Structures are given as C-alpha cells and as structure tokens.
Amino acid sequence: MPTIYEVASLAGVSPATVSRVINGLPVSGAYAERVRAAATKLNFTPNPTARRLRRRSSQVLALIIPTIENPFFTSLARGVEDVAQGAGYSLVLCDSDERHDKESTYLDVALAEHMAGVVLVPATNHPRLARLLERRTPVVSVDRSIRGTEVDSVLLDNREVARSATERLYARGFRRVGCITGPRETETAQQRADGWREVFSRHHPRTDPERYLRHADFRVAGGRDAMASLLTTRRRPDAVVVTNNSMTVGALETLQRERISPAEMGLACLGDLPYSVLQRAGVEVLPLPARSLGAAAARLLLDRIGGAEGPAQRIVLPIGGGPAIPDR
C-alpha cells in the first residue's frame, strides 16, 4: 500500500501538505491538485476512520525520553525533530526521568491536547497507552520495546553492539572482560548484558559470568559505584564493557581516583563519551546511531498519522549503518 510519504515525494510537497489535502483543510490550489494527481497515480486511498480522527489532531507531536542529560537521547530527539519539522509538525519534548508517574502524566497531556502522535522511549515495559490507542493516536516506541501492546517500534541491535565491544577488548589482549549494564528490568540493559555474556562465556566456559556483571542505573553515579564494586572482585577483571556513555564517565572517574591506568584496565563504551575533558586514551568507543533512530521513528509515526494501516512494525537498526531491518 502506498504511503503518505510516497504521495508527498511524487507531488513535490511535504507529508503535512498531503495530510491537509486528505483532511479537507485549506491548501493552495496548485499544491492540492498536485497531491490529488499523485494520489490517483499511486492509487493511494486514506483510511476513512483515520481521516475523521486526524481532523481533530493538531500539527504537534510529543517525544517522551528518559533524560535530556544523556547526549544519546539529545541526539535521538534531534533526529525526531528534523523529520517532524520537515513535514510541518512541531515537537514537544518531555523528560520522564525514568519514572512511570511522570511518563503517565505526559501521555495524559498528549491525549488532552489532541496531539497528532507520540514517540516514546518507555520508562517501563508497560506504559499506560490504552486511552491514546482507543483514540487511535499513533504511538511509536523507540530504543525500547513495549510488552503486551501492539505498537510500532524502532530499536537498535543491542546484543550485537555489546558482543562487538567485548570481542574488541579480548582482541586487544585483555584476559577477563567484565560488564556494567543498566537496571535489570530495562530491556536494553538486559540485551547488552546478554551480548557481553555470550562472548564472556565462550572465553571462560567454566566461570559464572554473573561474578563479573554489575547492574547500575544508566547514570554517572551508577557507573562509578559499579566499577568500584568490580575492583573488589577476587581475580578482578582487567577490562570492562560499560553499556552506556554516562556510566562510562562514572567508571572512568573511579579508575582515575584509584590511579588505575588504561593499560591496567581496558574500557569499552557503548555510545559517544559525553565529556571531552575526561581521559579517553585506550577507551574503545562504539558510537550508536541515535539520530538515525529518532528519524526512523518519526518517519514511521508520520506514516501512521497519514493513514497507513497494517500490523505493528518492529524495525531494528544495524549499529554499523546500513538499511533498517524489519524484524518480523
């Protein structure tokens, strides 16, 4: 089925202009005619129910992220904004602080303000989406998936990036690679720990990997405490994969405080280090395509706003670039 993006591309207008024509809103006659011609050529037929509901929607999207302090989510937000603004939509940015109650409040605001759609990095596995979905407000989950609710999602290949980071440290000659990951209940933390665990178990088949795994809170203080804990381990690791950038900052602070050099303790960081003032020598940095992640989520959301139907899509972005992979 052709999408609103394809109609917009053929007509040489923005997706927002196509949406306005479809919904009977005022548009310049020349533009409206181009949209109608393109829709006819592509045999594009908007869903009637979606059309009625979209007429009540504003040209505003909500983006709910766990924290604006982490550059990963700042970059993700920029990707969403780039696509939204290009399509004629404004973006409201909301920081849930990883709290279910704040997330629920922002979802209620999106509902009350008749926002056109929501891009959500869920703070929990079960965000309160029922009322939005009953209203047929499109929701796209990004970076983390949602359990028990059929919504579109755009994700990263978290296991693969953690596997790659762990292999790099072993390839550099380190003998025991530990891992600092996020909260146990967070999907990305689990997936990245699984990727590390797979490589660790291959190198140490008789060792319990949990001895060398620490869960923290994805923040600087959590990384600082987790690294301090690993340093007390009997036969402590000589390298550590840290599964996000903020925790890597904390891990580096601990190593600097203990005067442990990069040669004594290797580090791999998933995501760009946010503070250039810290010592980066010897740190394996694996950038994550956060901006592309946000842009892909916004494009998928605008397709739904334009009336695209079909089952929920689950798209996985490769870490090293390349096309998105539908994960059926």
Side-chain angles (χ1 to χ4, degrees):
M1 173 184 292
T3 68
I4 195 172
Y5 270 99
E6 292 171 301
V7 175
S9 177
L10 184 59
V13 300
S14 73
T17 298
V18 177
S19 179
R20 284 192 285 270
V21 173
I22 290 170
N23 292 315
L25 299 174
V27 174
S28 164
Y31 288 135
E33 187 56 39
R34 281 157 56 180
V35 169
R36 288 196 214 51
T40 299
K41 185 172 182 178
L42 292 173
N43 197 28
F44 174 80
T45 305
N47 175 265
T49 304
R51 282 184 62 184
R52 289 194 298 273
L53 291 165
R54 299 300 170 253
R55 284 177 184 153
R56 299 202 304 267
S57 297
S58 68
Q59 295 295 112
V60 178
L61 308 178
L63 169 61
I64 305 174
I65 60 175
T67 173
I68 195 63
E69 295 177 350
N70 189 321
F72 174 85
F73 293 114
T74 307
S75 183
L76 185 151
R78 183 59 186 271
V80 175
E81 183 183 37
D82 287 346
V83 173
Q85 189 175 54
Y89 286 82
S90 299
L91 186 69
V92 175
L93 179 61
C94 310
D95 187 333
S96 73
D97 202 30
E98 295 277 15
R99 285 170 45 189
H100 180 62
D101 59 333
K102 287 186 69 175
E103 177 183 83
S104 295
T105 296
Y106 287 131
L107 291 171
D108 288 342
V109 169
L111 183 72
E113 296 298 324
H114 300 281
M115 292 189 184
V118 177
V119 176
L120 172 66
V121 182
T124 70
N125 293 325
H126 303 283
R128 291 170 49 193
L129 298 178
R131 293 177 64 201
L132 278 169
L133 298 179
E134 286 171 7
R135 177 88 55 94
R136 293 179 65 91
T137 301
V139 177
V140 174
S141 172
V142 61
D143 187 50
R144 306 170 185 174
S145 58
I146 295 171
R147 296 177 186 170
T149 304
E150 289 297 312
V151 299
D152 296 316
S153 58
V154 182
L155 311 167
L156 296 177
D157 193 343
N158 289 297
R159 289 184 179 84
E160 179 55 36
V161 71
R163 281 194 293 262
S164 178
T166 311
E167 290 287 19
R168 287 191 191 189
L169 291 173
Y170 278 111
R172 284 174 51 185
F174 293 106
R175 299 181 303 279
R176 288 181 302 281
V177 179
C179 179
I180 297 172
T181 193
R184 295 178 187 276
E185 66 274 11
T186 302
E187 178 186 52
T188 51
Q190 294 171 351
Q191 292 171 343
R192 293 174 187 181
D194 286 345
W196 161 81
R197 193 181 286 109
E198 178 183 322
V199 178
F200 180 91
S201 296
R202 191 163 64 244
H203 283 266
H204 311 283
R206 298 182 180 179
T207 302
D208 180 6
E210 306 309 308
R211 286 177 51 196
Y212 293 96
L213 175 65
R214 296 294 183 274
H215 290 273
D217 59 1
F218 275 143
R219 299 181 185 271
V220 173
R224 189 187 303 131
D225 294 343
M227 178 58 79
S229 174
L230 280 174
L231 293 179
T232 67
T233 306
R234 189 172 65 87
R235 296 192 69 201
R236 75 185 191 190
D238 59 357
V240 178
V241 172
V242 190
T243 64
N244 91 329
N245 46 13
S246 294
M247 293 191 301
T248 304
V249 173
L252 280 167
E253 289 179 355
T254 295
L255 294 179
Q256 290 173 352
R257 185 186 67 226
E258 298 296 328
R259 298 183 180 179
I260 297 174
S261 72
E264 296 175 90
M265 178 70 72
L267 275 185
C269 169
L270 306 192
D272 289 315
L273 280 173
Y275 307 121
S276 60
V277 295
L278 288 169
Q279 176 59 258
R280 297 175 60 122
V283 178
E284 290 281 353
V285 176
L286 286 81
L288 303 176
R291 191 162 178 170
S292 297
L293 190 72
R299 285 192 290 269
L300 186 51
L301 183 71
L302 290 176
D303 276 347
R304 294 299 190 187
I305 291 171
E309 295 189 298
Q313 295 189 54
R314 180 182 170 94
I315 296 173
V316 179
L317 263 59
I319 297 301
I325 305 168
D327 182 12
R328 301 299 183 186

